[in-house]
Amino acid sequence: MKKVFVVLLVTALIIPSLFANGQKESGTTTPKVQKMIIGIVTVPGSAQYVAAEKFKELVEKRSNGRYQFDIKHSASLGSESSIIQQVQMGTVDVAIITTGPVGNISKLANALSLPFLFKSYAQADKVLDGPLGQEILDSLAASGIKGLAFSENGFRNLTNNVRPVHTVADVAGLKIRTMEAPLQVKIWRMLGANPTPMAWPINTELAQGTIDGQENPLWVIDKYKIYEVQKYMSMTRHVYSSHIDMMNLATFNKLSKADQKMFVSSMREAAAYQRKKNRESNEAHMATIVAKGMIVDNTPDVNSFRAKLKPIYEESKKDIGADFVNRLLNAVK
Ligand code: EAX
């Protein structure tokens, strides 16, 4: 009799609590909040930050707060190469990373950093938002990463402190900081510079003269006050630098199908929003750079750069794969 009572009592206690838990997990009553970290190397207001902030806003709103994001910025998580590793380990959930360092884990991503590849924003958008872009995003799965979308850094321009650079001959011997990406080092060596890969930011190295120059889009030169430590800028637009907006693959796979869709579409939307803002901001950045006293060459002889870089496409076919590089080059003809 006693035994039966105890069994009944225990059952009566357990069943409702099981039921309540079940409800919680299906999200019908109190939805569980999932906290996630977004990692970027740059500061608030940067190109990466604008994309991260928009994605955070969209997903938090669309999930009614079931997901909450904490944006870790300003190199607090280390370099971009290190943030990629943290995404692979899953200690960082989402990251907005400049394509250069992503090339170290995906050959296909590396192809995006080929010099003078994209001639316009429209062309970059078409390729990145199309099947070739998707192929690049999907290539990250082999490294435990879900590629969500492409936001952008922008077209990169050369600055230095030694002399005005008009033709490629003026680059000879300049100590140029590059992103931590072998292809970028190769490009600058081919151009005749003395390249050194370094993690961002590099203001101290520029101020101390450890390096003579660097290359980045206009917003970086303005936002990081590169004009305080560099005298000359040449509008070389030698590489269109995109960001790969990524997520830990296992974490992505654990989301419900509906949430997976929401994450992808929110990042795509955030990327489109950020690209537009970035492009609109160029004029104001240029005005500041000029007002701060940099000497700007708006029309450097880019053909002299192109001529020196010609062999790199054939070489990259060996490194990246001829099929993919050929398809990419065809798409930008
Ligand atoms: O996003 O490392 C780089 O040169 C990047 O372009 C920079 O961090 C700004």
Side-chain angles (χ1 to χ4, degrees), residues 12-314:
L13 286 171
I14 284 175
I15 286 180
S17 75
L18 276 178
F19 186 59
N21 271 341
Q23 269 196 336
K24 248 186 207 158
E25 281 186 358
S26 71
T28 49
T29 49
T30 6
K32 227 174 80 199
V33 172
Q34 195 171 340
K35 296 203 167 169
M36 290 194 179
I37 291 172
I38 307 183
I40 60 168
V41 79
T42 49
V43 292
S46 64
Q48 291 87 344
Y49 196 93
V50 171
E53 199 177 31
K54 192 69 184 175
F55 173 76
K56 167 182 161 76
E57 176 198 314
L58 292 175
V59 176
E60 286 180 356
K61 193 169 72 195
R62 289 170 181 172
S63 70
N64 293 317
R66 281 185 296 114
Y67 296 99
Q68 274 170 22
F69 298 91
D70 181 11
I71 304 176
K72 303 266 188 217
H73 54 84
S74 309
S76 61
L77 295 175
S79 67
E80 290 197 308
S81 306
S82 157
I83 298 174
I84 294 172
Q85 287 171 358
Q86 293 169 68
V87 173
Q88 290 181 286
M89 291 186 304
T91 49
V92 168
D93 302 288
V94 177
I96 317 288
I97 306 287
T98 316
T99 314
V102 184
N104 296 327
I105 56 162
S106 158
K107 284 182 180 185
L108 303 195
N110 214 14
L112 289 180
S113 302
L114 282 167
F116 301 109
L117 181 66
F118 295 120
K119 286 156 202 75
S120 65
Y121 290 128
Q123 197 180 54
D125 290 351
K126 196 166 170 227
V127 170
L128 297 177
D129 295 338
L132 284 167
Q134 194 56 50
E135 222 174 298
I136 294 169
L137 294 176
D138 292 344
S139 73
L140 298 173
S143 306
I145 291 176
K146 169 73 187 173
L148 297 169
F150 296 95
S151 47
E152 79 169 20
N153 228 12
F155 282 99
R156 303 178 78 92
N157 301 298
L158 178 66
T159 71
N160 89 95
N161 229 358
V162 175
R163 56 180 168 258
V165 170
H166 185 67
T167 76
V168 74
D170 302 320
V171 171
L174 292 180
K175 276 184 254 158
I176 303 291
R177 173 270 174 179
T178 73
M179 287 185 280
E180 294 179 299
L183 179 58
Q184 300 309 304
V185 177
K186 206 178 209 177
I187 289 173
W188 287 98
R189 192 163 296 134
M190 233 179 222
L191 291 172
N194 181 3
T196 316
M198 278 179 195
W200 192 259
I202 53 162
N203 290 66
T204 316
E205 290 80 357
L206 287 172
Q208 291 173 346
T210 328
I211 40 176
D212 300 321
Q214 63 90 46
E215 39 80 59
N216 252 305
L218 292 178
W219 76 262
V220 176
I221 296 160
D222 183 1
K223 190 98 197 151
Y224 280 89
K225 297 188 169 29
I226 299 295
Y227 49 72
E228 285 182 351
V229 285
Q230 297 274 271
K231 200 167 173 60
Y232 306 103
M233 177 165 81
S234 309
M235 295 295 286
T236 44
R237 295 165 64 91
H238 51 276
V239 169
Y240 172 77
S241 197
S242 53
H243 304 146
I244 300 198
D245 311 325
M246 57 175 70
M247 186 170 172
N248 174 274
L249 182 61
T251 305
F252 179 84
N253 285 340
K254 271 185 226 136
L255 304 177
S256 70
K257 286 279 171 280
D259 284 355
Q260 289 183 355
K261 268 196 178 156
M262 178 182 58
F263 271 59
V264 172
S265 62
S266 298
M267 191 60 98
R268 283 195 157 230
E269 228 176 290
Y273 167 88
Q274 182 272 337
R275 286 182 204 163
K276 186 165 179 286
K277 274 204 101 171
N278 203 41
R279 292 163 195 181
E280 286 167 358
S281 73
N282 279 334
E283 222 175 295
H285 291 308
M286 182 59 114
T288 309
I289 290 164
V290 171
K292 295 289 180 182
M294 279 192 98
I295 297 165
V296 179
D297 186 336
N298 274 307
T299 51
D301 176 10
V302 284
N303 284 335
S304 67
F305 285 73
R306 278 176 203 274
K308 273 227 160 170
L309 291 170
K310 243 189 180 149
I312 215 162
Y313 300 96
E314 282 311 312

